[in-house]
Structure formats: structure tokens, C-alpha cells
Amino acid sequence: MTGPSVPLPDGGARPERETSPEAGHAEGDETRFTVAAPPGIGEISPGDDLARIVGDALDREGGLRDGDVVVVTSKVVSKAEGRVVAAADREQAITEETVRVVATRPSPGGVLRIVENRLGLVMAAAGVDASNTPEGTVLLLPVDPDASARALRAALAERFGVRVGVIVSDTAGRAWREGLTDLAIGVAGVVALDDLRGGVDSHGRELSVTVTAVADQVAAASELVRGKAAGRPVAVVRGLGRFVTDEDGPGARVLVRDSETDMFREGSAEAYARGVSAGRADPAGAAAIEPGDAERAAREAGYADGYREGFAEGFREGTGTPQQG
């Protein structure tokens, strides 16, 4: 059943949670869910019928139930879609997938690049993967992970005759946190963002900022049973049917923060260096940034304070000579 629309942070809207009575009875307890990773997927090659292969593996484990969420790694989706490309130089492949550089730092293995790729995702190396691929090749992310998720969902729903959701996941690091986790880069039939704003907490206080990244949390949970080298690239999450929708929905794109609210669109060192360059290039004496400019810098560069400090440092040098940051 379909409820009213709920506004999303990007200004769009999604249908309210859509849960069939059957799904509610099947789930029972909303305080628990299970995650299982079926064996038997095997190596995926370009042109393989991924939906059939996944469906066969699920069939051997008892099939799917109404409200199940199937999480599939982007690696096997990319392989099936032929995103394995010859690239003796991985760095060139990263460059070709990059639309914006966020930060670069020297690392033991070379230069680490945090970039925005063609999908709008900000991650290391643009998501280009050189592991578990033939020598001299790299694996690119799917061209359209949301479309991939929708196609898998349609095929699995037809095969098993139930309402399911599909998430395509990929591994990424996180700002301010050590370690890697899986996140959703393709979503079909799952509430990607659960907007709780306007509700109340247990003390009756209104919630004003709480928007839960449901799809990312489900993707991360699935990785705990799939592992990185266990040969189990698919997981079934059961018990979260309240987040499974009748329609495919807007996809994972709603999880990508837009530039107007992204306070960290540039690395701190890059923002500082850009400020130094701007300060050195300003012999006219504009030693301070007006508030309006600072607001714009916050949107465009992220670390506005770093930019201001760099600008002041460059201006104090008084060379009037631009420097590349």
C-alpha cells in the first residue's frame, strides 16, 4: 500500500513506506532481522546472466520471501556488464573516471586521490578496482548502478513471485573514521533515506535533522556475512520488509550530498593552498574576505577557515605573484 509523499533533503520526494499486510505478518518482530550469504555464485564473466546465476543460488537456499532485500556487490555487477577494461596504467583509468579532485596525499603505494566520479560518488581512486581481475585490467563501477538494481529486482521478483528490494553495494572509506564499509551505490525498491523529521523522540521532542541512510546501513550489514574473499558476493536481508517499496523509487542518487550542503568539497590542505595562491595574487590590499564571500567559499571549497587563513598568509608575503596551490 502506498502512503503520502515525504520530502527528501535534495528537495525531491519519495512515497511513504509501502508495506503490504503480508509483509508485516511475515516479518513479525521489527526489532530483529537476519542476513545470510548464499554460496555457489562462482566467478562472473562479461555477458553472464547475473539475475539467473543469483536466482539459482537463492533457489538452492529456499528462495526469497516477500519483503526480502537482496544485496549484490558492484564487483559482480560490473563484471557481468563488461566493465573490465584493459589498463596497464591504473592511474590513467582513475583519471578518466574522475570529474572532480577533492584531495590528494602521498601514500606508501603512490599518490592517494579522493575524487568525485561520474556517478557523483566521492571515494578513493574513483572506485576503480584492480583486485580479482586479470593482469593488465581494472574493474570500473557500473555505468548506472540504479538501473542495474532495477533490472535485477524485476528479474528476481518475476522468478520468485514476491516483492523484493535490491541494493548494489561498494566499499568505501569515510571522512573522520578509520576503516572501510560497504555503502549503497544502486537501489531499487528500498527506502534509501528514511526521513524522520517532524516526528518526535521518546521524550516528545520534535526531530528536526534525523534522516536515516537505510540503504547504506543494509549494505554495511550485508558485508559482515559476505566478506571480501569468501566468494559470496550476494546477501539476503530478511526482516526489513517495512523498508521495501512497491515502486523502484529514486535510487541511490538521493544519498549523494549536493554541493550546496557539502561543507567538505575540498581537502583542508587544498583549501589552504588555494587561499595562499589567491592572497599572493592580490596586490590591491584586500586582506580580508567579506562575509558573503566566506559563505560562498564554504559552499565551493568546504574548509572556509582554511581558505581564509591561507589567503591571509599569502597576502602577508606581499609578493603579488600568484602561486599554484
mmCIF file of all heavy atoms in Angstrom, residues 113-134:
data_model
loop_
_atom_site.group_PDB
_atom_site.id
_atom_site.type_symbol
_atom_site.label_atom_id
_atom_site.label_comp_id
_atom_site.label_asym_id
_atom_site.label_seq_id
_atom_site.Cartn_x
_atom_site.Cartn_y
_atom_site.Cartn_z
ATOM 1 N N ARG A 113 44.311 9.489 -4.230
ATOM 2 C CA ARG A 113 43.415 10.512 -4.749
ATOM 3 C C ARG A 113 41.990 10.255 -4.272
ATOM 4 O O ARG A 113 41.432 9.191 -4.509
ATOM 5 C CB ARG A 113 43.437 10.519 -6.280
ATOM 6 C CG ARG A 113 44.675 11.145 -6.876
ATOM 7 C CD ARG A 113 44.531 11.323 -8.378
ATOM 8 N NE ARG A 113 44.835 10.101 -9.103
ATOM 9 C CZ ARG A 113 44.679 9.965 -10.419
ATOM 10 N NH1 ARG A 113 44.166 10.982 -11.129
ATOM 11 N NH2 ARG A 113 44.990 8.844 -11.029
ATOM 12 N N ILE A 114 41.424 11.241 -3.583
ATOM 13 C CA ILE A 114 40.000 11.217 -3.236
ATOM 14 C C ILE A 114 39.305 12.088 -4.264
ATOM 15 O O ILE A 114 39.594 13.288 -4.374
ATOM 16 C CB ILE A 114 39.750 11.760 -1.814
ATOM 17 C CG1 ILE A 114 40.608 11.010 -0.790
ATOM 18 C CG2 ILE A 114 38.263 11.657 -1.478
ATOM 19 C CD1 ILE A 114 40.313 9.540 -0.688
ATOM 20 N N VAL A 115 38.396 11.501 -5.021
ATOM 21 C CA VAL A 115 37.798 12.220 -6.138
ATOM 22 C C VAL A 115 36.300 11.963 -6.207
ATOM 23 O O VAL A 115 35.777 11.021 -5.601
ATOM 24 C CB VAL A 115 38.445 11.800 -7.481
ATOM 25 C CG1 VAL A 115 39.953 11.967 -7.444
ATOM 26 C CG2 VAL A 115 38.068 10.363 -7.843
ATOM 27 N N GLU A 116 35.629 12.810 -6.959
ATOM 28 C CA GLU A 116 34.231 12.562 -7.315
ATOM 29 C C GLU A 116 34.232 11.888 -8.683
ATOM 30 O O GLU A 116 34.862 12.370 -9.622
ATOM 31 C CB GLU A 116 33.447 13.874 -7.373
ATOM 32 C CG GLU A 116 31.995 13.690 -7.794
ATOM 33 C CD GLU A 116 31.256 15.008 -7.948
ATOM 34 O OE1 GLU A 116 31.736 16.028 -7.406
ATOM 35 O OE2 GLU A 116 30.222 15.016 -8.643
ATOM 36 N N ASN A 117 33.516 10.761 -8.780
ATOM 37 C CA ASN A 117 33.482 10.069 -10.063
ATOM 38 C C ASN A 117 32.210 10.432 -10.845
ATOM 39 O O ASN A 117 31.432 11.288 -10.427
ATOM 40 C CB ASN A 117 33.622 8.551 -9.874
ATOM 41 C CG ASN A 117 32.448 7.931 -9.120
ATOM 42 O OD1 ASN A 117 31.367 8.505 -9.028
ATOM 43 N ND2 ASN A 117 32.680 6.750 -8.591
ATOM 44 N N ARG A 118 31.999 9.770 -11.945
ATOM 45 C CA ARG A 118 30.894 10.122 -12.831
ATOM 46 C C ARG A 118 29.519 9.867 -12.224
ATOM 47 O O ARG A 118 28.516 10.396 -12.705
ATOM 48 C CB ARG A 118 31.034 9.350 -14.148
ATOM 49 C CG ARG A 118 32.284 9.719 -14.932
ATOM 50 C CD ARG A 118 32.434 8.872 -16.171
ATOM 51 N NE ARG A 118 33.663 9.197 -16.890
ATOM 52 C CZ ARG A 118 34.057 8.587 -17.991
ATOM 53 N NH1 ARG A 118 33.312 7.621 -18.512
ATOM 54 N NH2 ARG A 118 35.180 8.938 -18.588
ATOM 55 N N LEU A 119 29.465 9.055 -11.174
ATOM 56 C CA LEU A 119 28.205 8.778 -10.501
ATOM 57 C C LEU A 119 27.913 9.787 -9.395
ATOM 58 O O LEU A 119 26.887 9.691 -8.736
ATOM 59 C CB LEU A 119 28.233 7.362 -9.914
ATOM 60 C CG LEU A 119 28.424 6.217 -10.912
ATOM 61 C CD1 LEU A 119 28.636 4.903 -10.173
ATOM 62 C CD2 LEU A 119 27.232 6.122 -11.850
ATOM 63 N N GLY A 120 28.832 10.732 -9.178
ATOM 64 C CA GLY A 120 28.670 11.682 -8.087
ATOM 65 C C GLY A 120 29.202 11.178 -6.771
ATOM 66 O O GLY A 120 29.102 11.861 -5.746
ATOM 67 N N LEU A 121 29.774 9.971 -6.761
ATOM 68 C CA LEU A 121 30.307 9.390 -5.533
ATOM 69 C C LEU A 121 31.702 9.934 -5.255
ATOM 70 O O LEU A 121 32.531 10.014 -6.164
ATOM 71 C CB LEU A 121 30.373 7.867 -5.652
ATOM 72 C CG LEU A 121 29.050 7.151 -5.912
ATOM 73 C CD1 LEU A 121 29.305 5.690 -6.238
ATOM 74 C CD2 LEU A 121 28.127 7.280 -4.712
ATOM 75 N N VAL A 122 31.977 10.298 -4.009
ATOM 76 C CA VAL A 122 33.298 10.737 -3.593
ATOM 77 C C VAL A 122 33.977 9.567 -2.902
ATOM 78 O O VAL A 122 33.510 9.089 -1.862
ATOM 79 C CB VAL A 122 33.222 11.952 -2.655
ATOM 80 C CG1 VAL A 122 34.601 12.307 -2.121
ATOM 81 C CG2 VAL A 122 32.607 13.142 -3.377
ATOM 82 N N MET A 123 35.058 9.083 -3.495
ATOM 83 C CA MET A 123 35.758 7.926 -2.933
ATOM 84 C C MET A 123 37.184 7.884 -3.445
ATOM 85 O O MET A 123 37.547 8.613 -4.374
ATOM 86 C CB MET A 123 35.023 6.629 -3.290
ATOM 87 C CG MET A 123 34.731 6.441 -4.760
ATOM 88 S SD MET A 123 33.918 4.846 -5.146
ATOM 89 C CE MET A 123 32.582 4.782 -3.986
ATOM 90 N N ALA A 124 37.972 7.030 -2.831
ATOM 91 C CA ALA A 124 39.355 6.864 -3.258
ATOM 92 C C ALA A 124 39.397 6.206 -4.639
ATOM 93 O O ALA A 124 38.628 5.285 -4.929
ATOM 94 C CB ALA A 124 40.127 6.018 -2.257
ATOM 95 N N ALA A 125 40.288 6.710 -5.485
ATOM 96 C CA ALA A 125 40.570 6.108 -6.798
ATOM 97 C C ALA A 125 39.352 6.019 -7.699
ATOM 98 O O ALA A 125 39.321 5.196 -8.619
ATOM 99 C CB ALA A 125 41.191 4.718 -6.621
ATOM 100 N N ALA A 126 38.347 6.845 -7.457
ATOM 101 C CA ALA A 126 37.139 6.910 -8.304
ATOM 102 C C ALA A 126 36.404 5.583 -8.355
ATOM 103 O O ALA A 126 35.593 5.357 -9.256
ATOM 104 C CB ALA A 126 37.501 7.358 -9.718
ATOM 105 N N GLY A 127 36.684 4.684 -7.409
ATOM 106 C CA GLY A 127 36.036 3.380 -7.410
ATOM 107 C C GLY A 127 36.662 2.380 -8.353
ATOM 108 O O GLY A 127 36.149 1.270 -8.511
ATOM 109 N N VAL A 128 37.790 2.745 -8.984
ATOM 110 C CA VAL A 128 38.485 1.821 -9.887
ATOM 111 C C VAL A 128 39.152 0.723 -9.058
ATOM 112 O O VAL A 128 39.868 1.001 -8.105
ATOM 113 C CB VAL A 128 39.536 2.564 -10.740
ATOM 114 C CG1 VAL A 128 40.340 1.574 -11.580
ATOM 115 C CG2 VAL A 128 38.851 3.592 -11.627
ATOM 116 N N ASP A 129 38.909 -0.530 -9.432
ATOM 117 C CA ASP A 129 39.356 -1.676 -8.640
ATOM 118 C C ASP A 129 40.291 -2.549 -9.469
ATOM 119 O O ASP A 129 39.955 -2.943 -10.590
ATOM 120 C CB ASP A 129 38.143 -2.492 -8.197
ATOM 121 C CG ASP A 129 38.482 -3.515 -7.118
ATOM 122 O OD1 ASP A 129 39.677 -3.719 -6.839
ATOM 123 O OD2 ASP A 129 37.533 -4.092 -6.558
ATOM 124 N N ALA A 130 41.450 -2.852 -8.927
ATOM 125 C CA ALA A 130 42.408 -3.707 -9.627
ATOM 126 C C ALA A 130 42.510 -5.088 -8.986
ATOM 127 O O ALA A 130 43.350 -5.895 -9.397
ATOM 128 C CB ALA A 130 43.785 -3.045 -9.654
ATOM 129 N N SER A 131 41.670 -5.383 -7.999
ATOM 130 C CA SER A 131 41.738 -6.683 -7.332
ATOM 131 C C SER A 131 40.770 -7.669 -7.981
ATOM 132 O O SER A 131 39.709 -7.296 -8.489
ATOM 133 C CB SER A 131 41.390 -6.531 -5.845
ATOM 134 O OG SER A 131 40.061 -6.074 -5.678
ATOM 135 N N ASN A 132 41.143 -8.930 -7.956
ATOM 136 C CA ASN A 132 40.313 -10.014 -8.510
ATOM 137 C C ASN A 132 39.937 -9.790 -9.962
ATOM 138 O O ASN A 132 38.827 -10.122 -10.401
ATOM 139 C CB ASN A 132 39.042 -10.184 -7.671
ATOM 140 C CG ASN A 132 39.348 -10.660 -6.264
ATOM 141 O OD1 ASN A 132 40.160 -11.558 -6.057
ATOM 142 N ND2 ASN A 132 38.712 -10.039 -5.288
ATOM 143 N N THR A 133 40.857 -9.208 -10.726
ATOM 144 C CA THR A 133 40.673 -9.045 -12.168
ATOM 145 C C THR A 133 41.935 -9.539 -12.864
ATOM 146 O O THR A 133 43.014 -9.552 -12.267
ATOM 147 C CB THR A 133 40.432 -7.567 -12.550
ATOM 148 O OG1 THR A 133 41.577 -6.787 -12.164
ATOM 149 C CG2 THR A 133 39.205 -7.011 -11.862
ATOM 150 N N PRO A 134 41.837 -9.970 -14.126
ATOM 151 C CA PRO A 134 43.026 -10.475 -14.832
ATOM 152 C C PRO A 134 44.127 -9.429 -14.889
ATOM 153 O O PRO A 134 43.872 -8.211 -14.870
ATOM 154 C CB PRO A 134 42.490 -10.781 -16.233
ATOM 155 C CG PRO A 134 41.033 -11.020 -16.038
ATOM 156 C CD PRO A 134 40.617 -10.090 -14.933
#
